[in-house]
Amino acid sequence: MLTLNPKPRGDDDDGKQPPPQPVEKGFAALAHLAGLFWIPYLPMPILALVIPFLILQFARVHSPFVEQHAIQAVNFQLLMASLYLFAMLAGMALNSLFLIWWVAIGSTIFAMWEGAKAINGWQSKYPLTLKLFK
């Protein structure tokens, strides 16, 4: 389990999460929508990894809602990074961009779906992740 910025312990926690504020929904959606950077036409796919990680580190102490969404986004984007790397290597070997586009399209679909869940205030759960961050 990787934790760089731990949450402070609070004594007034009753176990229920308060409803998310609009700002929290926006940051949670941003963490997911960073997955759109895997599209090969956009020049910086590294932002798909950096943006959710930064949101996770800064939101960990402020909002359990944003933290839950950022953890899900980081774990999924790490999986997409490994699949993207595999697709690039296979694409060079096969001289084709077909696999890269499948990874980009899959990442985009799931990122938009989970971003919509964040905007609506729902909890996030990707169907397949690496679960390195908890």
Side-chain angles (χ1 to χ4, degrees):
M1 180 166 83
L2 302 172
T3 304
L4 298 178
N5 188 7
K7 289 191 283 189
R9 298 212 183 263
D11 296 331
D12 58 348
D13 189 19
D14 62 354
K16 294 167 106 180
Q17 284 189 8
Q21 301 297 319
V23 171
E24 294 174 331
K25 291 178 184 180
F27 276 109
L30 179 63
H32 293 294
L33 294 177
L36 298 176
F37 283 105
W38 289 118
I39 297 174
Y41 285 129
L42 299 176
M44 292 202 236
I46 193 70
L47 289 177
L49 291 171
V50 172
I51 291 171
F53 184 74
L54 288 176
I55 290 173
L56 174 63
Q57 292 307 310
F58 289 115
R60 185 177 290 269
V61 296
H62 299 293
S63 170
F65 178 77
V66 177
E67 178 189 16
Q68 191 268 336
H69 279 271
I71 287 171
Q72 290 293 320
V74 166
N75 287 332
F76 183 72
Q77 296 310 330
L78 285 171
L79 175 67
M80 288 297 108
S82 59
L83 289 176
Y84 195 80
L85 183 63
F86 172 76
M88 278 189 355
L89 294 174
M92 283 190 280
L94 299 173
N95 199 17
S96 171
L97 293 176
F98 183 70
L99 293 174
I100 292 174
W101 276 103
W102 273 106
V103 171
I105 290 169
S107 175
T108 300
I109 289 170
F110 285 121
M112 290 174 65
W113 181 261
E114 296 298 324
K117 282 181 166 179
I119 290 170
N120 287 322
W122 302 341
Q123 294 297 315
S124 174
K125 179 75 172 131
Y126 281 98
L128 182 64
T129 59
L130 288 179
K131 294 191 173 128
L132 294 176
F133 289 86
K134 295 182 181 181

